[in-house]
């Protein structure tokens, strides 16, 4: 993606956003602004989504930048306590594929970590885990990008699970005012939550296998298993339903 001009439009005062000339941060119209340090400084705070290139919007009350298009969130190093980044760096790392830090544009120093989080379907109070009666705790995991060059975090929007993780749901990930990650037990809890999540996933898998075992073994072209019960007829192949008898 072509870099965008960080120059300022004379008519509106907004960022120009025309494609920058090669080797420059400015477009052909705004070359004259090249030496203007106030603009360069402003430019340093303009970030783009590392996943879709959209310009990130600053949310002043929260101190983070969010992507309107994918709902991912950037917590630049200025917005977070370095000790939180340090904690995340200790979590399980997964393979990265040349992802680029949205804050410093560095790719070589980026690592992706599995951050466990939990929420409760009985409601989540703003001051911690206020579990309602009969509510159920859910355990999920988010892949958080950590830039080891500048200390920024990128939290991709999570599409799995009943809630999207992103924006205000960062409170679920790190706690209201960083209360969860700031807690001395957070790293221990990560291990516990991970176990719970894996247990849950295994139970779900067992349930699914059980259901599959009862159903016809036929797979359609998209790889989905036939939901019809296996045939009980003695002359039939009893691994398949009535309709899908092997010829
Ligand atoms: Zn321009
Ligand atoms: Zn995005
Ligand atoms: Zn960075
Ligand atoms: Zn069938």
């Amino acid at each position: 993606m072509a870099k965008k001009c960080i120059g300022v439009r004379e008519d509106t005062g907004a960022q120009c956003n025309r494609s920058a000339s090669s080797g420059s941060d400015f477009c052909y119209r705004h070359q004259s602004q090249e030496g203007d340090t106030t603009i360069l400084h402003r430019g340093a705070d303009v970030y783009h989504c590392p996943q879709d290139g959209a310009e990130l919007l600053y949310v002043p009350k929260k101190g983070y930048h969010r992507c309107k298009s994918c709902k991912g969130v950037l917590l630049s190093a200025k917005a977070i306590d370095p000790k939180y980044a340090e904690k995340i760096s200790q979590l399980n790392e997964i393979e990265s594929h040349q992802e680029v830090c949205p804050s410093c544009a560095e790719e070589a120093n980026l690592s992706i970590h599995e951050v466990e989080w939990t929420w409760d379907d009985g409601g989540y109070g703003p001051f911690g885990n206020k579990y309602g009666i009969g509510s159920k705790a859910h355990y999920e995991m988010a892949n958080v990008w950590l830039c080891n060059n500048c200390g920024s975090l990128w939290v991709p929007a999570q599409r799995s699970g009943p809630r999207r993780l992103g924006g205000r749901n960062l409170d679920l990930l790190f706690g209201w005012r960083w209360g969860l990650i700031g807690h001395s037990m957070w790293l221990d809890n990560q291990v516990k939550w991970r176990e719970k999540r894996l247990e849950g996933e295994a139970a779900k898998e067992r349930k699914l296998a059980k259901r599959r075992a009862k159903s016809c073994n036929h797979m359609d072209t998209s790889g989905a298993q036939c939901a019809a019960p296996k045939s009980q007829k003695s002359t039939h192949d009893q691994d398949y339903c009535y309709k899908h008898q092997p010829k």
Side-chain angles (χ1 to χ4, degrees), residues 5 16 18 27 30:
C5 171
C16 160
R18 208 180 274 123
C27 72
H30 292 128

Side-chain angles (χ1 to χ4, degrees), residues 216 218 226 228 241 244:
C216 163
H218 175 80
C226 172
C241 72
H244 289 127

Side-chain angles (χ1 to χ4, degrees), residues 16-37:
C16 160
N17 275 342
R18 208 180 274 123
S19 291
S21 312
S22 69
S24 169
D25 286 330
F26 297 87
C27 72
Y28 71 101
R29 284 267 302 270
H30 292 128
Q31 291 295 323
S32 58
Q33 294 179 356
E34 186 99 42
D36 189 327
T37 49

Side-chain angles (χ1 to χ4, degrees), residues 160-181:
S160 73
R163 288 193 197 195
R164 283 181 119 179
L165 185 62
R168 62 202 167 94
N169 283 340
L170 280 185
D171 288 346
L172 295 173
L173 189 59
F174 299 123
W176 170 252
R177 295 200 173 146
W178 306 91
L180 288 177
I181 191 170

